[in-house]
Amino acid sequence: MPVLETPDGRYIVVKGRLWRRSDPNLGEERRERLVKALMDARRAVKEAKRGEDEAAMKRARAAVDAAKHGLGERGPVWWTDGAPDQNRRMVTNTTYAEWYAGLEAM
């Protein structure tokens, strides 16, 4: 199933919730490096959970957060028109609610 993207390309919708997309202005090499770091960090979270290692979990989660900040998925928004960040909100409670309702009516 294709990913549902908001008309402005800022978010994807997963189970009715908005998730901020990566900054489209990142260079391909930097984006690839950050995505690799994110995947490595997510694997480290999984290993820390399995090993019940709280210190490793803290480091792994910090690495996930750093990669997501680098990608533009967290932290300051990457768009410049002053629109607020609606990341992690239910789409029906955002400025995209009318657009989303129109999709459901189709």
Side-chain angles (χ1 to χ4, degrees):
M1 181 174 191
V3 173
L4 180 58
E5 182 179 313
T6 58
D8 56 15
R10 293 177 180 158
Y11 303 93
I12 61 170
V13 181
V14 179
K15 297 181 181 176
R17 188 175 300 276
L18 295 174
W19 293 96
R20 196 186 322 164
R21 296 194 59 160
S22 297
D23 182 348
N25 300 309
L26 288 176
E28 189 60 27
E29 185 178 309
R30 178 170 167 77
R31 189 191 69 73
E32 286 179 12
R33 189 172 59 251
L34 288 165
V35 168
K36 182 185 180 319
L38 177 59
M39 295 299 104
D40 290 345
R42 285 180 169 163
R43 281 189 289 278
V45 167
K46 183 178 178 181
E47 288 299 316
K49 280 183 182 179
R50 191 176 332 187
E52 299 180 13
D53 184 339
E54 286 300 316
M57 179 67 75
K58 189 172 184 175
R59 287 190 304 274
R61 286 187 171 156
V64 167
D65 191 56
K68 286 188 157 285
H69 271 83
L71 287 164
E73 295 176 12
R74 291 186 184 160
V77 298
W78 44 261
W79 50 89
T80 59
D81 65 359
D85 187 13
Q86 299 181 79
N87 194 35
R88 299 183 180 183
R89 291 188 171 84
M90 297 304 292
V91 69
T92 55
N93 298 325
T94 69
T95 57
Y96 299 98
E98 188 175 326
W99 162 78
Y100 190 67
L103 295 176
E104 291 178 340
M106 296 176 124

